[in-house]
Amino acid sequence: MSNLAYQVKAALEAEAERAPEAPPWSPTRRTQVMANESSSRSGWIYATGVAATAASVIGLLVLAVRDAPPVDDPATASNPVASAWIPSGEQFRLDDLGPVESLEGESVTLSALSRRIGVEDHPALSIYTSIGYTGEASIVEWRCLESDGGGGGCASVDLPGPDIGVTSSIDNGIAGFDLWTWSNVPVDAAYVVYDDGDDARWQTPVFGVAAFPNVDGFESVAVAYNNEGVEVGRVDPVVLEAAQQPDPNSRPLTADLEQSQGAEVQELMNQTAIDCLTRHGATFGTESVGQLPGGDTNASWDECVSEAGTAVEEWLTANGISFFDPVTDSPEADEPYIKFGD
């Protein structure tokens, strides 16, 4: 066993003793949106990224072990503290700026499924639920996080582990610090505490997003707590390390599409979703952010995501599109919609 493995084992055992109620996280994959986007959107690095999109594959990172951030005697499930509990350390505030009003590119969402998030001394963030096509047998529903300063990416709504990113704000000249982001904070989290060297910063997440001035990149440790101070989730670099190396022999079959065909599929997917949401009472105007007054937003959205997925599957079948194993085969298309890196 390597030195890192021994450190990992010791860290996990120590944390299990300190917070026995913490749920385990599973390794995950992170997909960055690269296809048909401007270069300004590529300045964002992800901890668990396999970018199987039309443009490229994002490289992977290696992690080390850090101690958990300090807090003031957090409770356990058997010994909760008063509901007025707050973490120790310095607050780094996020502000809820309301729903997203417009999106660049061709993403489709509903106002109620989005939020703009204000960050002190940094361009605002936007988080929204949308749909995308990454060259497989059907579409994917994902949550996307973008910065007003450029850069962004999307991850499946079914992502079983923490969705982590680091902006390139310094390199892009838009802020004096990069942001470390956690885009799928547990829904019952009232606070997130982020390790900041000898100290800690904390905040109340907004719409499932936590963001702090980056200190340790993907070696960072952050812990989510509920109102009683009970740990409900964490970003553990050990889990992120495990997620860095997805099994190269388990990539899903990929549609052998020309770039023009891929663009047609994307257009069909988005238009089908818009038409369906319009039937449910949504209005879009000139923007791709729909306004759906009243009703069950989630039910309408789920139905229209399903309808868009069916439309794409039927198109692939009707056009006789074949699929190939990207591990062992290569596409036959002259200009493949999906290009895999080494």
Side-chain angles (χ1 to χ4, degrees), residues 28-297:
T28 62
R29 296 196 309 168
R30 179 75 155 107
T31 302
Q32 183 168 3
V33 179
M34 298 285 292
N36 302 319
E37 297 289 352
S38 66
S39 59
S40 66
R41 287 175 54 89
S42 63
W44 201 312
I45 306 171
Y46 292 98
T48 52
V50 180
T53 65
S56 64
V57 173
I58 304 303
L60 302 173
L61 302 173
V62 179
L63 305 173
V65 174
R66 290 281 307 210
D67 294 330
V71 295
D72 284 337
D73 297 327
T76 64
S78 61
N79 185 30
V81 296
S83 59
W85 180 88
I86 61 171
S88 64
E90 177 186 357
Q91 182 181 13
F92 184 75
R93 180 184 176 90
L94 297 181
D95 293 314
D96 187 339
L97 304 181
V100 171
E101 296 182 356
S102 63
L103 295 172
E104 295 183 2
E106 299 177 352
S107 298
V108 175
T109 190
L110 290 174
S111 175
L113 302 178
S114 70
R115 264 310 184 268
R116 283 181 51 75
I117 302 170
V119 184
E120 184 176 1
D121 297 325
H122 191 280
L125 302 173
S126 295
I127 183 79
Y128 57 93
T129 301
S130 188
I131 52 177
Y133 180 67
T134 58
E136 299 175 9
S138 191
I139 68 175
V140 59
E141 181 184 8
W142 50 27
R143 270 169 58 92
C144 303
L145 184 67
E146 299 178 351
S147 169
D148 282 3
C154 301
S156 169
V157 296
D158 297 322
L159 197 69
D163 178 16
I164 307 304
V166 177
T167 68
S168 298
S169 307
I170 296 175
D171 289 345
N172 291 341
I174 60 171
F177 57 88
D178 293 334
L179 273 182
W180 177 94
T181 62
W182 181 2
S183 303
N184 60 346
V185 175
V187 295
D188 51 348
Y191 305 101
V192 173
V193 180
Y194 178 78
D195 185 6
D196 192 356
D198 294 333
D199 303 311
R201 292 188 176 190
W202 64 270
Q203 67 188 207
T204 299
V206 174
F207 218 65
V209 174
F212 295 90
N214 176 54
V215 174
D216 290 323
F218 302 119
E219 298 177 14
S220 300
V221 175
V223 182
Y225 298 93
N226 66 14
N227 278 318
E228 287 73 42
V230 177
E231 181 177 329
V232 295
R234 68 172 49 228
V235 173
D236 191 315
V238 176
V239 175
L240 293 185
E241 183 183 30
Q244 292 314 295
Q245 302 293 340
D247 185 353
N249 297 315
S250 64
R251 289 178 177 174
L253 295 179
T254 300
D256 195 353
L257 294 169
E258 299 285 353
Q259 289 187 16
S260 59
Q261 292 176 310
E264 185 176 347
V265 170
Q266 286 187 320
E267 182 177 355
L268 171 67
M269 171 190 70
N270 288 332
Q271 192 59 53
T272 301
I274 289 175
D275 291 345
C276 175
L277 291 168
T278 299
R279 293 198 307 272
H280 282 261
T283 56
F284 284 87
T286 59
E287 303 294 345
S288 56
V289 180
Q291 307 293 324
L292 183 61
D296 189 335
T297 297

